[in-house]
Amino acid sequence: DIASQQFDTAPHDADSGGGGIYPSPEQPWKKLSFFNYYRFFLALTFTAVSLWSRSHDLLGSHNYGLFEACSAAYLLVAVLSGVTIHLRVPTFETQAHLQILLDITILTLLMHASGSVSSGLGMLIVIAIIAGSLLMGGQAARLFAAIATLAVLAEQVVTMFEGSVSAANYTQ
């Protein structure tokens, strides 16, 4: 029935056989795979910077140990995500949700380790939200945006209580 399919915007995994925002069952997995390539190269860049950079002026300037640990964890998550995408276990929806939530979490920690909002790493969280919107659509997009907002606000509160930044940074 065309009327009921018109409002079905949730993606379905490849085994579910249809509907959703994707015309073919392969398309959501390809998009998730492309997003994971981006995540892998971003994590590889952060890890390379943490291993070979002698200057900690920008990345990791606030807490270099946290930056190193999160960079390595992000690389490990990207590699493991590549394996689970290839195996298609768990379902597409589960993987997309987990990967976006892990991105928000790890990027927030990297932002904190690099001096909070002023580091500019918060813009990478926006890319994760956009990817989540493109992958999942609908209410999941609003959920990712709300979680990211709360994560950045929580990071600002923690940074303020540590005495690293003033309350004036809330408006950045």
Side-chain angles (χ1 to χ4, degrees), residues 29-47 71 74-75 77-79 81-82 85 99-100 102-104 106-108 110 120-132 134-135:
W29 290 103
K30 285 182 181 179
K31 286 185 177 185
L32 189 60
S33 182
F34 285 132
F35 178 59
N36 197 57
Y37 289 138
Y38 157 77
R39 296 168 71 231
F40 174 77
F41 287 113
L42 183 63
L44 190 62
T45 301
F46 285 146
T47 303
S71 297
Y74 199 29
L75 185 59
V77 164
V79 169
S81 295
I85 290 168
Q99 289 184 28
I100 300 300
L102 282 170
D103 275 8
I104 291 169
I106 293 172
L107 291 171
T108 302
L110 287 168
L121 292 179
M123 293 308 295
L124 295 174
I125 298 172
V126 174
I127 295 172
I129 295 167
I130 291 169
L134 293 172
L135 289 169

Side-chain angles (χ1 to χ4, degrees), residues 38-124:
Y38 157 77
R39 296 168 71 231
F40 174 77
F41 287 113
L42 183 63
L44 190 62
T45 301
F46 285 146
T47 303
V49 166
S50 72
L51 291 175
W52 291 302
S53 176
R54 304 229 185 262
S55 169
H56 311 305
D57 293 340
L58 180 60
L59 297 177
S61 62
H62 181 69
N63 185 339
Y64 195 71
L66 178 63
F67 183 82
E68 282 182 313
C70 287
S71 297
Y74 199 29
L75 185 59
L76 180 64
V77 164
V79 169
L80 291 176
S81 295
V83 172
T84 61
I85 290 168
H86 179 73
L87 297 175
R88 296 189 180 184
V89 175
T91 66
F92 169 79
E93 288 86 0
T94 302
Q95 286 197 44
H97 279 97
L98 278 174
Q99 289 184 28
I100 300 300
L101 294 174
L102 282 170
D103 275 8
I104 291 169
T105 302
I106 293 172
L107 291 171
T108 302
L109 289 170
L110 287 168
M111 181 178 69
H112 177 74
S114 298
S116 194
V117 175
S118 61
S119 70
L121 292 179
M123 293 308 295
L124 295 174

